Amino acid sequence: MAIPYMETVVGFMIVMYVFETYLDLRQHTALKLPTLPKTLVGVISQDKFEKSRAYSLDKSHFHFVHEFVTILMDSAILFFGILPWFWKISGGFLPMLGLDPENEILHTLSFLAGVMTWSQITDLPFSLYSTFVIESRHGFNKQTIWMFIRDMIKGILLSVILAPPIVAAIIVIVQKGGPYLAIYLWAFMFILSLVMMTIYPVLIAPLFNKFTPLPDGDLREKIEKLASSLKFPLKKLFVVDGSTRSSHSNAYMYGFFKNKRIVLYDTLIQQCKNEDEIVAVIAHELGHWKLNHTTYSFIAVQILAFLQFGGYTLVRNSTDLFRSFGFDTQPVLIGLIIFQHTVIPLQHLVSFGLNLVSRAFEFQADAFAVNLGYAKDLRPALVKLQEENLSAMNTDPLYSAYHYSHPPLVERLRAIDGQGKKTD
C-alpha cells in the first residue's frame, strides 16, 4: 500500500496552522494589555505605547485573515490536485508559441511564469492593504501608488531576468549529476549565493533605493574611529533613503573580506537623539562581525542546504511520492517542490533552532557594545527604535520564543543593565 504523502503533508500543514494560530491568539491577548511591562514604565511614553498597541493590534487582525486565506489556498492546491493540473496546462501553451513541450526547461519556465502570475494576483490585495491602509494609518508608509507599482514591476523584471538561467542550471545539474548530485547542487547554490551577495548591494538594491556617502562630520568620524579600533575593514559608509518608502529605521553591514560597507537608514539618523546613540547601534552591528556571527550563520545555512539536497537525492526518483501528489511524470522542479513540502516538520524545527541561536547572538552583540562603553547610549537607542517603529511592547513568552529572531526589548534592556553592572 502506497504511503499517503500528500494527505500527510496537508494534515501537518493544518496542524501547524492550528498551533501557530494558538500562539497568535496568545500574542493578540498580550497586545491588548492596557499597561506597559514594568521594565518599560517611565521609559516608554504612554502616547507611544498607545500608538504601538493600536499598530500591533491592526497588524495582528490582518495576520489572522492573511494566514487563514493562505492555509485555505495552499491546502486546496495540494488536496484537489491543482499543482499537477497546472503543470499539464502550462506545457500546453508551448506549442502555441512554436516551442517543444517535451523540453523540460521550457516547460518548467512556462509553469513558473504561471505560478508567478498567480502569486502576484493573490498577494496583491494583501500587499496593498498592508501598505496603504495599515502602514499609512499609523504614519509609516511614504510610498505613492505609482512607486508601489514601479517597485513591483522592477521585481517582476528581475525575476524574469534571473530565474531562467538559474532554473535551467538546476535542471541540467539534476539530470546529469549522478551519484554526486547533492554535492553539485550544493556547490552551485553556494556559488550563486556568493554572486548574489556581491551583486545585490551594488546592482539590485540601488534600483529601489538611493545610496549616498555619509557626509563628512562628527558622526562619520566616530563610526570610522570605532571601525578602526576594531580593525573592521570599512571601505564605504552609506546613507540609504529609506524614508522615501517607510519611516521604519535600520542599519546593516555587508561585504567580503577587506571590502566592508556600512549602511545607515536616513530614518535612523533622524530618530536617534544624538550621534553617540547611532554609533552604539553600529557597535552592536560590528559586534556581530567581531564575534563571527555572520560567518557562523552562513556556515549553518550551507550545512542545512547540503543536508536538504542530500535528502532530495534520496526521494527524487520515488514514483510513489510523485503519484501521491498527482504526477505521472517526475519533473525536476516539481520534485524539489514536493520534497520541500515533505520536510516541512523538519523546517519548522530548524527555524526554531536558528531563532534560538539568533537571539543568543543578539544578546552577545549587545554585550559587546556595552563592553566597549556604549551602555548608556545603546539603551536609549534601542528604546528609541522600539518607540519610533511602534514595535510590540507586550509579548507573549511562547510566541516570542517560537517566532522572534531578536529578543523582546524588555529582555535586552535587562541584559544590558546586568552587563553594565559587571563592567562597572
Side-chain angles (χ1 to χ4, degrees):
M1 181 179 176
I3 299 174
Y5 293 106
M6 185 272 289
E7 291 81 359
T8 303
V9 166
V10 173
F12 186 79
M13 287 168 56
I14 294 172
V15 168
M16 286 308 303
Y17 168 74
V18 171
F19 170 69
E20 291 182 349
T21 300
Y22 163 71
L23 294 180
D24 292 339
L25 288 169
R26 289 179 60 101
Q27 176 65 2
H28 193 79
T29 301
L31 295 174
K32 291 167 69 175
L33 292 174
T35 56
L36 279 162
K38 290 182 179 179
T39 307
L40 300 182
V41 173
V43 177
I44 302 288
S45 69
Q46 188 64 27
D47 177 61
K48 285 292 185 181
F49 170 62
E50 293 296 340
K51 290 180 178 179
S52 163
R53 187 165 168 262
Y55 178 53
S56 296
L57 285 171
D58 270 1
K59 289 197 300 179
S60 180
H61 287 124
F62 174 76
H63 177 75
F64 281 122
V65 175
H66 184 253
E67 291 303 300
F68 179 70
V69 173
T70 299
I71 189 64
L72 278 182
M73 288 197 301
D74 290 350
S75 300
I77 287 171
L78 293 178
F79 193 78
F80 293 107
I82 296 175
L83 205 60
W85 170 78
F86 199 74
W87 173 261
K88 288 178 182 178
I89 66 169
S90 63
F93 284 109
L94 295 176
M96 301 178 190
L97 301 174
L99 300 174
D100 181 12
E102 298 301 318
N103 185 306
E104 185 175 340
I105 292 176
L106 294 177
H107 193 162
T108 300
L109 293 176
S110 175
F111 173 79
L112 285 176
V115 169
M116 185 172 72
T117 302
W118 169 256
S119 296
Q120 288 291 337
I121 292 171
T122 55
D123 289 345
L124 186 59
F126 293 105
S127 296
L128 288 171
Y129 187 85
S130 175
T131 302
F132 292 102
V133 177
I134 295 179
E135 295 296 307
S136 294
R137 179 185 297 159
H138 296 279
F140 287 116
N141 178 51
K142 305 300 178 184
Q143 292 188 80
T144 62
I145 188 66
W146 163 240
M147 187 181 295
F148 179 90
I149 294 172
R150 188 178 61 190
D151 284 352
M152 184 174 67
I153 292 172
K154 287 179 183 178
I156 292 171
L157 291 176
L158 282 171
S159 297
V160 170
I161 293 169
L162 297 175
I166 294 172
V167 170
I170 291 173
I171 291 174
V172 171
I173 290 170
V174 173
Q175 290 174 341
K176 309 282 187 182
Y180 301 107
L181 173 59
I183 296 175
Y184 295 146
L185 278 175
W186 170 80
F188 172 73
M189 296 306 296
F190 174 74
I191 293 171
L192 179 64
S193 64
L194 294 180
V195 171
M196 292 304 297
M197 284 191 291
T198 301
I199 69 171
Y200 178 82
V202 178
L203 298 178
I204 298 177
L207 295 175
F208 298 90
N209 289 98
K210 184 179 180 181
F211 293 78
T212 56
L214 179 67
D216 292 334
D218 290 342
L219 178 59
R220 186 180 185 93
E221 289 178 7
K222 289 177 180 179
I223 293 176
E224 289 177 341
K225 182 179 178 181
L226 172 63
S228 177
S229 69
L230 298 174
K231 294 182 171 53
F232 179 77
L234 177 62
K235 294 299 181 184
K236 293 184 179 180
L237 189 52
F238 291 114
V239 177
V240 61
D241 62 340
S243 60
T244 59
R245 286 169 174 77
S246 171
S247 56
H248 289 296
S249 53
N250 201 358
Y252 63 91
M253 60 183 180
Y254 65 93
F256 294 109
F257 308 114
K258 300 296 182 181
N259 188 29
K260 302 289 188 182
R261 305 177 185 193
I262 292 176
V263 177
L264 304 175
Y265 277 57
D266 56 355
T267 46
L268 176 68
I269 297 174
Q270 296 162 10
Q271 291 168 4
C272 287
K273 288 183 178 179
N274 57 61
E275 294 170 349
D276 289 335
E277 290 182 4
I278 300 172
V279 178
V281 172
I282 299 301
H284 167 94
E285 295 301 325
L286 292 181
H288 286 303
W289 169 78
K290 193 70 173 179
L291 298 171
N292 296 310
H293 292 166
T294 306
T295 302
Y296 294 148
S297 298
F298 184 76
I299 292 173
V301 169
Q302 296 308 313
I303 292 173
L304 291 170
F306 181 75
L307 292 175
Q308 278 201 314
F309 288 134
Y312 166 69
T313 62
L314 298 177
V315 302
R316 73 184 184 92
N317 292 320
S318 171
T319 303
D320 288 343
L321 180 62
F322 279 87
R323 284 179 178 169
S324 177
F325 283 84
F327 289 90
D328 49 17
T329 58
Q330 299 180 1
V332 171
L333 179 70
I334 297 301
L336 287 167
I337 292 174
I338 291 175
F339 176 72
Q340 289 298 314
H341 278 91
T342 58
V343 296
I344 285 176
L346 290 176
Q347 289 176 338
H348 280 281
L349 287 174
V350 169
S351 177
F352 176 67
L354 291 177
N355 278 345
L356 290 177
V357 173
S358 176
R359 285 199 296 275
F361 283 171
E362 292 302 317
F363 282 127
Q364 291 173 14
D366 283 347
F368 181 86
V370 170
N371 290 334
L372 290 177
Y374 288 100
K376 68 180 181 64
D377 297 307
L378 181 61
R379 200 179 196 282
L382 293 178
V383 170
K384 177 60 67 173
L385 291 176
Q386 184 88 358
E387 281 187 323
E388 297 301 326
N389 288 294
L390 298 183
S391 302
M393 306 296 176
N394 289 299
T395 56
D396 177 76
L398 291 182
Y399 178 90
S400 62
Y402 182 77
H403 283 291
Y404 284 9
S405 60
H406 286 55
L409 178 63
V410 170
E411 295 180 17
R412 293 182 72 175
L413 295 182
R414 190 181 302 126
I416 288 171
D417 291 342
Q419 186 67 26
K421 291 177 182 178
K422 289 181 183 178
T423 55
D424 292 342

